[in-house]
């Protein structure tokens, strides 16, 4: 068990070094995300000029939600994992894992964790630059019990994010180019993950239905726990549904891997 | 070289693009669905916001849809005609494949801009037109022929602004070779085109309304339909379009002089 963990610890450390090499890419990306934040501040600021609360939440609550969402994107979001996995399958780089006692999912997940550690740290640089301008617009009163419940939700969100990206990468066994699928899925995940607007602003029935989809647990769920947009009962039920989706997606990832390998042809030495 | 010569080149490229689309029909359907989904996402945002408020910066729901629809038309026309071509420029400069365009019979900027055509973007621009048409009807507007002609011309200016900004962005790799992913800043900038000008205040107004053409590009044409022809904003937008075009061409030419090829 310990030797297995040690194996992936090394993968994690190599991944960390490799991602530190690309620190400027992450830094530039996090800088551009400030523009995305500016759009949010301008749009919602204008929408709130006609109303003190929207969906029961103040402007500051909503802006805090979006700032937290930005941090989560860099901390647990899957950026390029689907394309990287696709590339490794197309180029035959996965062949080496077929001959070694290395689990490909665990290998890629270790690299994902190291990459998010680097990008998660770098997102704080532009945020700290923006803080003098935006701190007055934020509601920074986080309750300890919410933080405690948000931690397992965050870990499961990261697993869902990564596993969905992994499954899309696996599609390369069947399709030469997965970019269209990935961008289509990204649009759906962005919308139903609450990155366009807080999902609780949807009509009640649609919001209730959205809670049964995996996208709900990618970003919205942990952000809503911390920012107080969900009550204790909803959080408890949500953690159960989230666990269900983690297990379902892990099973799907394993199925796609085994089925995909049956189609795979390894050529060359 | 004559205009007819360039038209023949463009028609040959367009014919090739259509043949390619017919060969890869599934790709066409998939990418049309991708773009359509993103448009629906933007429309849903408007729908959700206006369920909770009646006005955003003085714009009603259907006025906002008119703005978003206009922004969609301009962006889809730009992506349909130019995006795939310009997106590749940075990579081609880095790898040396840019040589291929220099050896072609025509102006290099024209050749890199028109080689491909994305019918999915062009088809989806019809969705934008439908959104604008629906909004105009819901608002009870009756724009005259002159206003409509002015709107169409301003949409053309909008496409020119998108094109010029993108040429400016992709000219940067001539100076900064290691600038992968810089093309994405185009989408970052034009997110602001879906917002009403009145929503911008202070520094944001200075930056996105006056210094960068991100807001003007969709607000001015939408306002022509809302309030009729107003000479000052229309002249302002036309000036911005031609100004940015001139700057982008000069920048591209300067970059071209620096290009030393990377192939053997």
């Amino acid at each position: 068990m310990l030797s297995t963990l040690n194996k992936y610890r090394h993968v994690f450390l190599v991944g960390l070094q490799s991602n530190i090499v690309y620190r400027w890419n992450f830094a530039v990306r996090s800088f551009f995300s400030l523009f995305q934040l500016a759009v949010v501040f301008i749009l919602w600021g204008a929408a709130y000029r006609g109303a003190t609360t929207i969906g029961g939440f103040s402007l500051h609550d909503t802006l805090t939600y979006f700032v937290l969402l930005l941090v989560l994107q860099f901390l647990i979001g899957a950026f390029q994992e689907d394309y990287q996995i696709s590339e490794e399958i197309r180029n035959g780089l996965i062949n080496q894992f077929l001959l070694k006692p290395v689990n490909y999912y665990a290998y890629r997940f270790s690299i994902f964790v190291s990459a998010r550690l680097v990008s998660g740290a770098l997102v704080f640089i532009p945020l700290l630059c923006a803080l003098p301008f935006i701190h007055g617009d934020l509601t920074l009163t986080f309750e300890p019990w919410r933080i405690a419940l948000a931690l397992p939700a965050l870990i499961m969100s990261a697993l869902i994010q990564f596993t969905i990206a992994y499954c899309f990468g696996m599609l390369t066994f069947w399709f030469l180019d997965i970019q269209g699928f990935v961008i289509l899925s990204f649009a759906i995940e962005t919308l139903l993950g609450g990155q366009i607007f807080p999902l609780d602003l949807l009509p009640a029935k649609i919001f209730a239905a959205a809670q049964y989809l995996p996208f709900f647990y990618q970003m919205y769920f942990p952000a809503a726990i911390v920012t107080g947009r969900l009550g204790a009962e909803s959080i408890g039920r949500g953690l159960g549904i989230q666990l269900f989706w983690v297990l379902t997606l892990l099973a799907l990832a394993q199925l796609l891997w085994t089925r995909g390998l049956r189609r795979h042809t390894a050529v060359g030495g | 070289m004559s205009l007819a010569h360039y038209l023949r080149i463009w028609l040959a490229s367009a014919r090739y693009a259509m043949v390619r689309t017919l060969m890869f029909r599934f790709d066409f359907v998939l990418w049309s669905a991708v773009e359509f989904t993103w448009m629906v996402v933007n429309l849903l945002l408007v729908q959700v916001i206006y369920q909770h408020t009646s006005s955003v910066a003085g714009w009603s729901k259907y006025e906002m849809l008119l703005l978003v629809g206009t922004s969609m038309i301009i962006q889809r026309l730009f992506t349909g005609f130019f995006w795939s071509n310009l997106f590749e420029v940075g990579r081609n400069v880095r790898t040396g494949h840019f040589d291929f365009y220099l050896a072609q019979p025509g102006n290099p900027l024209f050749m890199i801009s028109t080689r491909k055509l994305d019918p999915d973007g062009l088809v989806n621009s019809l969705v934008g037109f439908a959104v604008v048409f629906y909004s105009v009807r819901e608002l009870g507007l009756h724009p005259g022929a002159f206003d409509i002609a002015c709107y169409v011309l301003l949409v053309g200016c909008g496409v020119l602004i998108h094109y010029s900004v993108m040429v400016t962005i992709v000219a940067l790799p001539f100076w900064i070779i290691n600038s992968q992913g810089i093309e994405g800043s185009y989408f970052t900038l034009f997110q602001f085109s879906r917002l009403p000008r009145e929503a911008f205040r202070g520094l944001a107004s200075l930056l996105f309304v006056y210094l960068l053409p991100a807001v003007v590009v969709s607000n001015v044409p939408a306002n022509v339909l809302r309030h009729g022809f107003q000479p000052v904003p229309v002249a302002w937008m036309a000036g911005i379009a031609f100004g940015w075009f001139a700057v982008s061409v000069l920048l591209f030419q300067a970059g071209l002089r620096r290009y030393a090829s990377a192939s053997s």
Side-chain angles (χ1 to χ4, degrees):
Chain A
M1 175 70 183
L2 212 65
S3 67
T4 306
L5 277 179
N6 205 29
K7 193 162 57 185
Y8 296 110
R9 187 175 68 86
H10 281 293
V11 174
F12 169 80
L13 290 173
V14 170
L16 202 61
Q17 288 170 22
S18 137
N19 278 291
I20 286 172
V21 170
Y22 291 104
R23 61 192 178 279
W24 284 108
N25 279 15
F26 287 126
V28 168
R29 197 170 174 154
S30 59
F31 170 75
F32 278 123
S33 65
L34 281 184
F35 285 90
Q36 189 189 324
L37 208 57
V39 171
V40 165
F41 272 61
I42 292 165
L43 175 64
W44 290 94
Y48 270 94
R49 271 178 226 157
T52 49
T53 62
I54 286 182
F57 294 97
S58 69
L59 172 63
H60 291 180
D61 293 333
T62 301
L63 295 181
T64 307
Y65 166 82
F66 279 110
V67 171
L68 184 62
L69 221 57
L70 175 71
V71 175
L72 291 185
Q73 277 171 25
F74 283 85
L75 206 61
I76 59 168
F79 284 1
Q80 295 286 323
E81 279 70 17
D82 28 31
Y83 292 123
Q84 288 166 359
I85 291 167
S86 173
E87 193 83 0
E88 288 189 350
I89 294 173
R90 246 199 334 262
N91 294 344
L93 286 170
I94 57 156
N95 299 348
Q96 56 181 310
F97 300 105
L98 307 178
L99 304 170
K100 289 176 189 165
V102 175
N103 179 294
Y104 186 63
Y105 180 92
Y107 165 80
R108 288 299 329 181
F109 188 69
S110 306
I111 294 176
F112 167 74
V113 174
S114 62
R116 288 302 74 83
L117 206 66
V118 175
S119 63
L122 284 170
V123 73
F124 285 100
I125 299 171
L127 264 186
L128 285 173
C129 295
L131 207 60
F133 304 100
I134 64 171
H135 81 278
D137 294 319
L138 305 178
T139 315
L140 298 164
T141 50
F142 301 130
E143 299 165 74
W145 71 272
R146 286 186 176 277
I147 304 291
L149 287 176
L151 282 175
L154 262 178
I155 293 167
M156 287 196 280
S157 291
L159 275 164
I160 290 176
Q161 292 266 359
F162 172 74
T163 312
I164 288 179
Y166 181 87
C167 288
F168 274 103
M170 290 291 114
L171 289 183
T172 310
F173 285 122
W174 288 269
F175 300 93
L176 198 63
D177 183 14
I178 60 156
Q179 201 182 10
F181 295 110
V182 170
I183 298 179
L184 184 62
S185 159
F186 180 59
I188 296 166
E189 289 173 42
T190 305
L191 177 69
L192 295 173
Q195 293 180 59
I196 302 292
F197 47 79
L199 292 178
D200 42 79
L201 297 185
L202 284 167
K205 280 185 183 169
I206 301 177
F207 179 60
Q211 294 182 39
Y212 292 98
L213 299 173
F215 315 114
F216 185 89
Y217 301 94
Q218 284 187 283
M219 285 285 168
Y220 174 79
F221 187 57
I225 293 175
V226 177
T227 55
R229 300 184 88 96
L230 285 175
E233 195 188 326
S234 304
I235 295 171
R237 195 181 63 240
L239 284 170
I241 301 174
Q242 196 180 23
L243 180 63
F244 164 79
W245 276 115
V246 169
L247 297 174
T248 305
L249 287 166
L250 284 173
L252 178 66
Q254 182 58 27
L255 181 74
L256 288 172
W257 172 251
T258 49
R259 287 291 168 99
L261 278 185
R262 286 185 205 168
R263 298 175 58 88
H264 182 65
T265 311
V267 184
Chain B
M1 285 187 202
S2 69
L3 202 63
H5 172 76
Y6 281 111
L7 186 66
R8 269 200 306 277
I9 293 176
W10 185 81
L11 283 174
S13 300
R15 202 164 38 241
Y16 170 73
M18 296 315 290
V19 170
R20 198 180 148 77
T21 302
L22 290 171
M23 278 170 68
F24 300 104
R25 289 183 291 273
F26 179 71
D27 257 19
F28 170 73
V29 172
L30 184 65
W31 281 105
S32 299
V34 167
E35 293 195 9
F36 181 72
T37 309
W38 276 111
M39 292 164 94
V40 170
V41 166
N42 289 317
L43 295 175
L44 277 175
L45 173 63
V46 175
Q47 176 67 24
V48 166
I49 287 179
Y50 281 93
Q51 265 181 349
H52 300 274
T53 185
S54 56
S55 161
V56 173
W59 289 58
S60 69
K61 178 181 166 183
Y62 292 106
E63 286 176 318
M64 193 72 163
L65 280 178
L66 178 64
L67 177 70
V68 173
T70 303
S71 169
M72 283 173 175
I73 294 170
I74 295 170
Q75 194 153 37
R76 292 305 129 206
L77 288 176
F78 168 73
T79 52
F81 284 114
F82 304 113
W83 170 261
S84 306
N85 300 295
L86 296 179
F87 179 76
E88 290 179 347
V89 172
R91 191 178 57 201
N92 289 337
V93 168
R94 276 189 292 275
T95 57
H97 289 144
F98 194 76
D99 298 1
F100 172 71
Y101 296 94
L102 297 177
Q104 286 183 351
N107 176 289
L109 184 57
F110 179 85
M111 300 315 293
I112 62 152
S113 305
T114 56
R115 186 163 172 247
K116 291 180 186 171
L117 205 67
D118 282 333
D120 41 282
L122 299 176
V123 166
N124 271 310
S125 68
L126 297 176
V127 179
F129 278 111
V131 171
V132 169
F133 182 76
Y134 172 70
S135 312
V136 165
R137 212 187 60 174
E138 288 299 313
L139 287 166
L141 298 173
H142 301 287
F146 179 70
D147 293 331
I148 293 172
C150 194
Y151 178 80
V152 172
L153 274 174
L154 287 172
V155 164
C157 285
V159 176
L160 186 61
I161 290 175
H162 278 239
Y163 174 80
S164 307
V165 169
M166 191 62 186
V167 168
T168 306
I169 292 170
V170 300
L172 291 178
F174 285 119
W175 284 271
I176 313 161
I177 289 293
N178 193 18
S179 54
Q180 283 112 315
I182 200 161
E183 298 84 4
S185 54
Y186 161 82
F187 287 108
T188 305
L189 180 65
F190 285 107
Q191 286 182 85
F192 294 93
S193 70
R194 294 190 288 271
L195 303 179
R197 185 188 159 189
E198 291 78 359
F200 291 79
R201 288 175 171 182
L203 188 66
S205 174
L206 179 73
L207 187 61
F208 300 112
V209 178
Y210 295 103
L211 288 179
L212 295 166
V215 179
V216 173
V217 71
S218 52
N219 273 251
V220 175
N223 276 332
V224 165
L225 292 183
R226 277 171 84 209
H227 306 303
F229 174 75
Q230 290 166 312
V232 175
V234 170
W236 181 27
M237 181 162 167
I240 283 176
F242 288 101
W244 269 87
F245 182 64
V247 168
S248 67
V249 170
L250 288 174
L251 204 67
F252 183 80
Q253 299 294 352
L256 211 55
R257 282 194 289 274
R258 281 181 59 88
Y259 179 65
S261 180
S263 55
S264 48

